[in-house]
């Protein structure tokens, strides 16, 4: 199983975990969050991230999800990935920025595969989870209301004037 570590600006990581628990009805295994609060020393964050990576690693590698490229959480995650790469194959760590709920849910769902597959599935979940709902709405759901219907113009009269 692939371990998952979220390193993000507080309280994003904790909120994403709460959402994942809601969807899956139980906390995921081999999973940790490092929510970065302002003014925390980067050395301390790196120590915490290293410890958490070791805790969640079940031997198949760790996927680190971070929020904003260039921010402190992603800088720590990048250092973590570089340190793992220098440590050899037993410390495989992949890092993805731009964490969102679809990315996390995909990562959890596919974490029983290999690290490369989890990375690919998580990234596709993130991008495919971004949808402009108005442009995707079927024509049948678009309503046009007539002021002479007796309604308030927002469909409150119960009359259906669908096109």
């Amino acid at each position: 199983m692939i371990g998952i570590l979220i390193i993000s600006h507080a309280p994003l990581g904790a909120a994403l975990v709460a959402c994942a628990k809601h969807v899956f009805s139980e906390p995921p295994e081999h999973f940790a969050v490092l929510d970065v609060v302002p003014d925390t020393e980067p050395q301390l964050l790196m120590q915490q991230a290293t410890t958490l990576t070791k805790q969640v690693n079940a031997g198949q590698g760790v996927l680190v999800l971070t929020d904003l490229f260039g921010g402190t959480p992603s800088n720590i995650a990048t250092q973590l990935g570089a340190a793992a790469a220098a440590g050899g194959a037993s410390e495989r760590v992949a890092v993805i920025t731009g964490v969102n709920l679809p990315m996390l849910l995909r990562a959890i769902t596919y974490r029983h595969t290999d690290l490369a597959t989890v990375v690919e599935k998580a990234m596709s979940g993130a991008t495919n989870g971004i949808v402009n709902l108005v442009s995707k709405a079927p024509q049948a759901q678009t309503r046009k209301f007539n002021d002479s219907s007796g309604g308030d113009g927002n469909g409150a009269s119960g009359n259906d004037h669908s096109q």
Side-chain angles (χ1 to χ4, degrees):
M1 176 183 295
I2 304 299
I4 299 174
L5 172 61
I6 298 175
I7 304 175
S8 63
H9 292 89
L12 181 60
L16 287 170
V17 171
C19 290
K21 287 179 185 177
H22 175 82
V23 170
F24 292 115
S25 301
E26 58 187 48
E29 297 177 72
H30 303 286
F31 191 93
V33 172
L34 177 57
D35 269 337
V36 176
V37 295
D39 301 323
T40 305
E41 290 296 322
Q43 291 173 330
L44 176 60
L45 292 170
M46 188 61 191
Q47 290 170 353
Q48 292 172 332
T50 301
T51 299
L52 291 172
T53 300
K54 289 177 182 175
Q55 289 175 0
V56 301
N57 192 349
Q60 302 297 313
V62 176
L63 175 60
V64 179
L65 304 174
T66 186
D67 51 5
L68 180 66
F69 177 74
T72 299
S74 75
N75 291 339
I76 297 301
T78 300
Q79 290 176 29
L80 189 64
S90 65
E91 295 293 324
R92 294 181 309 157
V93 174
V95 179
I96 305 174
T97 64
V99 66
N100 61 21
L101 186 58
M103 176 190 282
L104 177 59
L105 296 179
R106 276 284 187 94
I108 292 169
T109 299
Y110 288 96
R111 64 199 305 222
H112 295 286
T113 63
D114 59 279
L115 186 57
T117 300
V118 174
V119 167
E120 184 250 318
K121 295 294 187 178
M123 290 178 65
S124 70
T127 56
N128 293 337
I130 299 170
V131 178
N132 181 342
L133 293 178
V134 174
S135 71
K136 295 289 184 183
Q139 288 293 338
Q141 292 180 1
T142 305
R143 295 180 182 255
K144 182 176 181 180
F145 296 98
N146 182 338
D147 286 339
S148 65
S149 68
D152 65 1
N154 292 318
S157 69
N159 294 334
D160 186 1
H161 296 283
S162 298
Q163 292 185 337

